[in-house]
Amino acid sequence: MPSNERLQAFEQAWLPQLNQPLAAAIAADTGDDQLAAAMQYSVLAGGKRLRPLLTVATLTTVGPTVDLGQDWRPIMALELLHTYSLIHDDLPAMDNDDLRRGEPTNHVKFGAGMATLAGDGLLTLAFQWLTATALPPLVQAKLTQALARAAGPSGMVAGQAKDIRSEHIDLPLSDLRVLHREKTGALLHYAVQAGLILAELPEAQWTPYLKFADAFGLAFQIYDDILDVVSTPSELGKATQKDAGEAKNTYPGKLGLEGANQALIATIEQGQTALATLPATVDTRLLAAFFSYFDTKRVKA
């Protein structure tokens, strides 16, 4: 089966199971109807669910049967946290975006105050969901610590801070990689790490999986930079051409479109190489299929 078909089949099997309980679960854990509506609005506004899907794919690859009865909230906690980051990123004080996933952003719909609270609610509910389960206490603790590190001041928040500080400053490519690893890559790294924690795989066996995750995270950001240049707002569901207008550091800005595309191809190869180091008994085809998300032919030489 071609990689893109394998990924599509996996998404079709798992997306309904991940999405169906979301609205009711958020409402049940929220004490204000308007706040719940604002939180649900952004979580249910579409999205690829790429991060929880990566967690399920890692669990599937490592071997244990995925039990959504006990694992659903811990798996979907990452989607809550990711959505909080998008709501806050769109705020007037940050990127001031009016469109997300083809719909008005949260602050346009509910106002900046309620949008800020919706993000706060999703952030804290994510950690509640990591422990609202019958999983072993040590597994819960590892998930909580790993997500806090990925999302906090040594991970995503640090990357966001660097992004703000570096506008109109020409960053070296090595510094841009650090920014991307924190801002975008940290949560994708955690998505795979969460699968390894839930599977209770010994940490001595984690390295190839996490190298794959880091390559996927960098490829995701490079591809996002490319799409900002070559896509239309209707294709992306958000404003395009903003990075250049705001003098942000991007791969196309530093390397040109063709150079950025070559960096994307090389990064994908690094991830594939990491998977190839796993024992032959491990079926890595599902994880490798995630690289089919990137269309390296979008850029014409």
Side-chain angles (χ1 to χ4, degrees):
M1 179 186 297
S3 290
N4 62 329
E5 293 182 11
R6 187 180 303 278
L7 183 58
Q8 289 170 6
F10 176 72
E11 290 172 341
Q12 289 169 3
W14 283 101
L15 279 174
Q17 299 182 64
L18 295 173
N19 283 327
Q20 190 276 329
L22 268 172
I26 291 171
D29 286 329
T30 306
D32 181 88
D33 291 345
Q34 184 72 1
L35 176 61
M39 292 164 65
Q40 291 167 331
Y41 176 76
S42 290
V43 174
L44 303 176
K48 297 174 287 292
R49 307 294 187 231
L50 187 61
R51 290 153 190 82
L53 284 171
L54 266 173
T55 301
V56 174
T58 302
L59 265 168
T60 302
T61 299
V62 172
T65 301
V66 182
D67 178 9
L68 286 188
Q70 84 168 348
D71 296 341
W72 180 82
R73 276 182 171 80
I75 288 171
M76 290 306 288
L78 178 54
E79 192 67 15
L80 299 188
L81 195 141
H82 171 59
T83 304
Y84 124 76
S85 74
L86 298 181
I87 294 173
H88 281 197
D89 198 39
D90 289 336
L91 286 169
M94 297 285 282
D95 285 351
N96 195 25
D97 279 319
D98 293 334
L99 199 65
R100 170 72 67 177
R101 295 169 176 164
E103 300 292 338
T105 49
N106 201 289
H107 69 270
V108 171
K109 178 82 171 176
F110 295 94
M114 186 59 73
T116 302
L117 293 173
D120 293 343
L122 290 169
L123 167 61
T124 48
L125 185 57
F127 288 97
Q128 179 181 324
W129 279 13
L130 288 180
T131 56
T133 139
L135 289 169
L138 183 58
V139 171
Q140 296 181 37
K142 286 182 176 180
L143 288 170
T144 302
Q145 184 179 58
L147 184 55
R149 286 179 174 172
S154 64
M156 181 184 67
V157 174
Q160 291 282 22
K162 287 183 176 70
D163 195 34
I164 290 173
R165 289 193 299 103
S166 64
E167 288 183 15
H168 305 284
I169 297 173
D170 186 17
L171 286 181
L173 193 59
S174 58
D175 289 353
L176 182 59
R177 288 195 188 98
V178 173
L179 188 161
H180 286 340
R181 182 173 68 243
E182 293 171 345
K183 179 183 175 182
T184 302
L187 291 192
L188 290 165
H189 178 103
Y190 170 80
V192 172
Q193 185 181 10
L196 301 174
I197 293 171
L198 287 166
E200 300 186 66
L201 188 74
E203 290 188 32
Q205 300 176 34
W206 285 13
T207 298
Y209 295 99
L210 296 181
K211 285 184 176 180
F212 154 76
D214 291 339
F216 185 85
L218 179 56
F220 185 90
Q221 183 60 61
I222 296 171
Y223 192 58
D224 191 64
D225 287 352
I226 291 171
L227 292 181
D228 184 71
V229 178
V230 303
S231 301
T232 65
S234 61
E235 287 175 319
L236 283 191
K238 61 181 180 178
T240 58
Q241 308 290 332
K242 286 197 67 179
D243 292 340
E246 296 172 356
K248 288 195 173 185
N249 289 272
T250 67
Y251 267 73
K254 293 198 166 297
L255 303 176
L257 270 176
E258 183 58 32
N261 202 49
Q262 290 304 313
L264 173 61
I265 292 169
T267 304
I268 291 170
E269 289 174 351
Q270 291 170 9
Q272 292 170 333
T273 298
L275 291 176
T277 66
L278 285 164
T281 52
V282 178
D283 186 351
T284 61
R285 289 176 297 175
L286 177 56
L287 289 177
F290 276 78
F291 286 121
S292 68
Y293 171 78
F294 309 116
D295 180 5
T296 58
K297 295 183 173 60
R298 275 303 285 271
V299 178
K300 302 296 188 292

